[in-house]
């Protein structure tokens, strides 16, 4: 891939080490507020709503009813939108920079189907559409006749209006379908991508399972599930809980870090802290002065998040309960997260943790830990032979 084109794309997302909100995006947000007749709210009113939203997100509460009120929707648009939008574009860019393409380019049909689950005002959808537009204009992607067909699920009528106002007329979008109004399910395998941003913390355990079932049924084979959550501790726990449910259906392609949810894991707190991604963000003009001051002083001028990207691949995991531990002759194979397809009765590519604790493959590969312990890679059984005390695996094994 041409590095000049990649660098051109980077400059549309980041300048001098800072993510930024392009002027046309801030204008969309401003127009959305004005078009819906909400410009009369004072900054003091919006700040009060914003502080309440922060308390709810930090405490793991549900915002389903609160977003029926206009001032809270405005507070979201003037703060959380500006944090999530650039983070999603950055995630997509970093994956592309590594040579992976999670957004389909070569398709027999000329459209890409994306479901934005719990879409809010369209933050994630806009980030994806703008990323594709930027990539196309940087000649990184070449979509001659490609267009995006957006589907969205959103309970808030106010957010639904925002979504349509934000994405309507976008040059990359062919059609917008409100799934809350469209009763037809279209059959299985209808989406290339399902994205959920700031959603898991809103769902009950049962609703998270229903969402996962929907992803299994309606994603195309090889389709991608993109999840991004806030850096609040409860959101990281919800992420870990959810990812543990995906065994047998999805392979983790990328993650912000280890996302274990098990109380029994001794490294759980350590993993939670290092799972957060942080990136400098140029303070957007659309924030109120109080928001700007808080973002600068309390957040250090950084947007923070946790994320995971998974690819739908049936039968790629082994049920850990079927994997035996072998401790004879100084070696063992431990139960845990299976990375690749199981070709025999023995599990292949097992990490040394139940769930997604300190053994996330992408996370440890990035830190060259595998090289330190003998070049473990996909296609190997992750095991330890001989005395591993003091080695890079010592802490990993301590989860047991």
């Amino acid at each position: 891939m041409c590095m000049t084109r990649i660098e051109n794309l980077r400059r549309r997302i980041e300048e001098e080490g800072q993510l930024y909100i392009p002027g046309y995006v801030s204008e969309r947000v401003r127009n959305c507020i004005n078009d819906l007749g909400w410009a009369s709210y004072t900054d003091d009113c919006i700040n009060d709503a914003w502080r309440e939203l922060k308390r709810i997100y930090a405490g793991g509460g549900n915002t389903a009813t609160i977003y029926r009120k206009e001032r809270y929707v405005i507070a979201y648009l003037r703060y959380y939108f500006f944090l999530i939008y650039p983070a999603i574009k950055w995630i997509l860019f970093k994956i592309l920079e590594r040579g992976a393409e999670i957004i389909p380019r070569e398709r027999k049909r000329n459209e890409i189907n994306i479901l934005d689950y719990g879409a809010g005002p369209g933050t994630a959808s806009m980030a994806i559409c703008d990323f594709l537009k930027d990539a196309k204009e940087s000649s990184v992607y070449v979509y001659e006749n490609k267009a995006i067909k957006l589907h969205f699920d959103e309970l808030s009528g106010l957010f639904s209006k925002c979504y349509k106002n934000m994405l309507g007329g976008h040059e990359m979008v062919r059609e917008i379908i409100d799934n809350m109004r469209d009763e037809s399910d279209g059959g299985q395998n209808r989406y290339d991508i399902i994205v959920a941003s700031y959603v898991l913390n809103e769902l009950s355990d049962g609703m998270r399972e229903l969402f996962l079932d929907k992803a299994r049924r309606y994603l195309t084979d090889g389709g991608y599930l993109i999840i991004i959550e806030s850096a609040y501790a409860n959101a990281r726990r919800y992420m870990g809980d959810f990812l543990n449910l995906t065994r047998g259906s999805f392979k983790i392609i990328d993650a912000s870090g280890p996302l274990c949810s098990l109380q029994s894991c001794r490294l759980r707190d350590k993993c939670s802290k290092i799972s957060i991604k942080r990136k400098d963000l140029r303070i957007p003009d659309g924030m109120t002065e109080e928001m700007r001051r808080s973002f600068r002083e309390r957040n250090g001028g950084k947007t923070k998040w946790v994320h995971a990207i998974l690819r739908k691949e049936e039968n790629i995991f082994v049920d850990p309960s079927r994997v035996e531990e072998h401790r004879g002759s100084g070696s063992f194979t431990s139960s845990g997260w299976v990375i690749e397809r199981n070709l025999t009765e023995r599990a292949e590519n097992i990490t040394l943790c139940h769930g997604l604790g300190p053994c996330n493959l992408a996370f440890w590969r990035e830190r060259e830990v595998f090289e330190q312990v003998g070049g473990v890679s996909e296609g190997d059984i992750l095991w330890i032979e001989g005395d591993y005390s003091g080695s890079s695996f010592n802490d990993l094994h301590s989860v047991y």
Side-chain angles (χ1 to χ4, degrees):
M1 190 176 298
C2 178
M3 295 307 298
T4 301
R5 294 174 181 176
I6 286 291
E7 188 58 32
N8 288 340
L9 177 58
R10 177 193 290 271
R11 285 196 291 268
R12 292 172 177 263
I13 300 170
E14 175 195 43
E15 285 185 351
E16 299 179 349
Q18 288 185 314
L19 301 180
Y20 69 98
I21 306 295
Y24 65 85
V25 175
S26 296
E27 185 176 354
R28 285 184 209 163
V29 174
R30 186 166 53 250
N31 289 341
C32 181
I33 293 173
N34 292 337
D35 288 347
L36 294 174
W38 300 340
S40 59
Y41 284 92
T42 66
D43 280 1
D44 286 342
C45 178
I46 300 307
N47 286 333
D48 288 341
W50 167 64
R51 287 192 292 270
E52 187 169 352
L53 283 179
K54 286 202 301 181
R55 286 194 294 270
I56 294 173
Y57 279 127
N62 191 295
T63 61
T65 57
I66 207 169
Y67 281 129
R68 296 173 184 171
K69 300 176 182 178
E70 296 164 347
R71 63 183 182 275
Y72 294 103
V73 174
I74 298 174
Y76 177 98
L77 286 167
R78 296 188 66 176
Y79 187 75
Y80 288 106
F81 178 94
F82 293 131
L83 302 186
I84 303 169
Y85 171 91
I88 293 176
K89 290 182 72 175
W90 181 249
I91 292 167
L92 296 175
F93 172 76
K94 295 302 291 183
I95 291 174
L96 180 64
E97 189 180 42
R98 292 200 297 267
E101 293 184 13
I102 67 171
I103 299 172
R105 175 166 47 168
E106 301 298 333
R107 306 294 270 179
K108 292 181 179 179
R109 62 183 188 276
N110 61 359
E111 67 183 18
I112 303 164
N113 282 274
I114 298 175
L115 169 64
D116 196 337
Y117 186 85
T123 313
S125 292
M126 191 181 303
I128 294 173
C129 291
D130 284 352
F131 177 80
L132 287 179
K133 176 178 178 292
D134 290 343
K136 179 180 179 181
E137 292 177 354
S138 303
S139 300
V140 175
Y141 281 120
V142 180
Y143 285 102
E144 294 181 355
N145 297 309
K146 300 290 185 182
I148 299 172
K149 191 173 183 179
L150 288 174
H151 309 250
F152 75 98
D153 286 351
E154 176 52 57
L155 292 174
S156 166
L158 295 175
F159 268 155
S160 295
K161 291 179 181 177
C162 282
Y163 189 102
K164 294 169 185 176
N165 286 349
M166 290 278 206
L167 277 303
H170 195 291
E171 67 180 77
M172 299 298 294
V173 177
R174 169 174 294 170
E175 185 178 359
I176 297 175
I177 298 173
D178 184 346
N179 282 5
M180 304 304 293
R181 298 178 180 275
D182 182 3
E183 296 297 329
S184 64
D185 63 17
Q188 295 185 5
N189 299 332
R190 63 183 299 197
Y191 304 121
D192 300 296
I193 295 171
I194 295 179
V195 59
S197 64
Y198 278 51
V199 169
L200 295 185
N201 62 309
E202 303 280 349
L203 304 178
S204 65
D205 292 343
M207 286 298 294
R208 280 192 288 274
E209 292 184 15
L210 287 174
F211 168 53
L212 179 59
D213 180 63
K214 185 169 190 173
R216 289 191 185 108
R217 287 188 292 122
Y218 293 118
L219 264 178
T220 59
D221 292 335
Y224 289 89
L225 176 59
I226 303 173
I227 305 172
I228 182 169
E229 285 290 333
S230 72
Y232 294 122
N234 64 285
R236 300 197 300 272
R237 176 174 57 81
Y238 289 134
M239 177 80 89
D241 288 337
F242 178 78
L243 293 180
N244 283 330
L245 297 175
T246 65
R247 298 176 190 271
S249 302
F250 292 88
K251 175 181 177 181
I252 298 175
I253 301 303
D254 183 69
S256 55
L259 294 161
C260 188
S261 63
L262 295 183
Q263 295 289 347
S264 60
C265 177
R266 299 178 194 173
L267 300 180
R268 181 175 181 270
D269 292 338
K270 180 179 178 181
C271 288
S272 292
K273 291 178 181 178
I274 59 178
S275 68
I276 301 172
K277 282 288 185 183
R278 300 169 176 85
K279 183 68 178 171
D280 288 334
L281 173 66
R282 189 180 303 163
I283 298 179
D285 294 334
M287 289 184 176
T288 67
E289 183 54 39
E290 182 176 339
M291 292 174 182
R292 291 164 65 88
R293 184 169 58 252
S294 175
F295 179 72
R296 183 171 51 247
E297 296 174 359
R298 299 189 62 181
N299 288 28
K302 296 180 183 292
T303 181
K304 305 174 184 178
W305 72 88
V306 294
H307 76 269
I309 297 177
L310 304 97
R311 185 171 63 222
K312 181 183 175 184
E313 294 185 13
E314 295 294 343
N315 302 318
I316 62 169
F317 299 129
V318 173
D319 183 348
S321 65
R322 291 168 41 206
V323 182
E324 297 181 357
E325 295 187 2
H326 305 282
R327 296 182 179 271
S329 66
S331 66
F332 72 91
T333 301
S334 173
S335 61
W337 190 265
V338 181
I339 304 301
E340 285 287 7
R341 187 179 300 278
N342 178 36
L343 301 178
T344 66
E345 288 302 314
R346 296 191 64 190
E348 297 179 313
N349 297 324
I350 304 168
T351 59
L352 299 177
C353 185
H354 296 291
L356 292 178
C359 308
N360 180 302
L361 180 63
F363 179 79
W364 287 109
R365 181 193 288 118
E366 182 179 334
R367 285 151 183 78
E368 300 181 344
V369 170
F370 283 170
E371 295 179 9
Q372 299 173 33
V373 293
V376 177
S377 62
E378 292 161 334
D380 298 331
I381 294 177
L382 204 54
W383 58 287
I384 303 169
E385 185 172 4
D387 183 11
Y388 52 83
S389 126
S391 72
S392 301
F393 263 120
N394 190 52
D395 285 342
L396 303 190
H397 177 57
S398 71
V399 297
Y400 292 98

